[in-house]
């Protein structure tokens, strides 16, 4: 059996830049980005603190169907991300359970596969990822998308 822990909640929004301002003002959350992830077709803001990822589609054919979901359902929780200790073991486990990821990618040591909403996930999009440290998902993606390493170190030193 695969054991996973909640890493972050993904929220689908119309405008990531505005959502960052709103979440910072409302909740005091801080983010890396937003960044345009051309591979996924998403504008993404990743959590420095707060465990919330904000994303909006860059066009009508993004990798996870966020554009279509935004049209049909509007803004709201898109899915959750779960951290596992062994990505390949988790992938084999889910395959044995009949689940195939709709997309899989890496950012450095960060690996992620995303499963679409379906009956087995109770209608929730599930991202499963592996990374070496507590906030590695956000940090590695942010570094890949252009954040200055000094900003990451300053944040980590503040704790």
């Amino acid at each position: 059996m695969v054991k996973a822990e909640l890493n972050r909640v993904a929220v689908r929004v119309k405008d990531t830049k505005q959502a960052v301002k709103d979440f910072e003002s409302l909740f005091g959350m801080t983010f890396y980005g937003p960044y345009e992830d051309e591979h996924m077709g998403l504008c993404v803001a990743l959590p420095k603190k707060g465990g919330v990822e904000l994303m909006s589609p860059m066009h009508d054919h993004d990798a996870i169907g966020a554009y279509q979901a935004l049209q049909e359902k509007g803004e709201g929780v898109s899915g959750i991300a779960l951290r596992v200790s062994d990505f390949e073991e988790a992938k084999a486990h889910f395959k044995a359970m009949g689940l195939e990821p709709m997309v899989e990618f890496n950012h450095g040591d960060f690996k992620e596969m995303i499963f679409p909403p379906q009956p087995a996930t109770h209608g929730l999009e599930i991202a499963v990822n592996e990374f070496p440290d507590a906030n590695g998902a956000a940090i590695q993606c942010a570094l890949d998308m252009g954040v200055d390493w000094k900003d990451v170190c300053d944040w980590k030193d503040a704790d």
Side-chain angles (χ1 to χ4, degrees):
M1 173 186 291
V2 170
K3 292 186 180 181
E5 62 184 40
L6 182 65
N7 175 254
R8 64 192 190 281
V9 175
V11 178
R12 181 181 55 251
V13 297
K14 294 177 186 172
D15 181 340
T16 305
K17 289 178 184 175
Q18 184 60 52
V20 164
K21 291 177 188 174
D22 294 342
F23 276 61
E24 286 177 346
S25 176
L26 285 168
F27 308 116
M29 294 178 178
T30 56
F31 298 89
Y32 295 111
Y35 301 104
E36 292 186 356
D37 186 339
E38 297 292 337
H39 174 72
M40 296 296 288
L42 298 168
C43 182
V44 181
L46 300 158
K48 285 185 181 180
K49 288 194 174 182
V52 174
E53 171 185 334
L54 303 171
M55 60 158 180
S56 59
M58 293 169 50
H59 44 67
D60 65 358
H61 54 281
D62 62 274
I64 62 169
Y67 176 85
Q68 183 178 354
L70 193 58
Q71 301 306 305
E72 294 173 5
K73 300 175 186 175
E75 295 182 307
V77 173
S78 172
I80 60 172
L82 300 169
R83 181 182 183 194
V84 297
S85 60
D86 188 322
F87 189 80
E88 294 304 320
E89 177 186 3
K91 189 174 178 179
H93 170 77
F94 292 119
K95 185 173 186 163
M97 303 283 294
L99 299 174
E100 293 286 335
M102 68 178 153
V103 66
E104 185 177 330
F105 60 93
N106 297 353
H107 283 289
D109 291 337
F110 167 69
K111 301 173 186 174
E112 184 163 84
M113 58 185 149
I114 302 174
F115 297 92
Q118 56 194 290
T121 64
H122 295 270
L124 194 59
E125 177 185 284
I126 306 287
V128 175
N129 47 58
E130 175 191 315
F131 48 89
D133 62 45
N135 198 28
I139 292 170
Q140 189 62 58
C141 291
L143 288 170
D144 281 1
M145 292 186 222
V147 74
D148 185 339
W149 180 250
K150 180 184 178 303
D151 292 339
V152 172
C153 292
D154 288 347
W155 170 75
K156 288 176 88 171
D157 292 341
D159 285 345

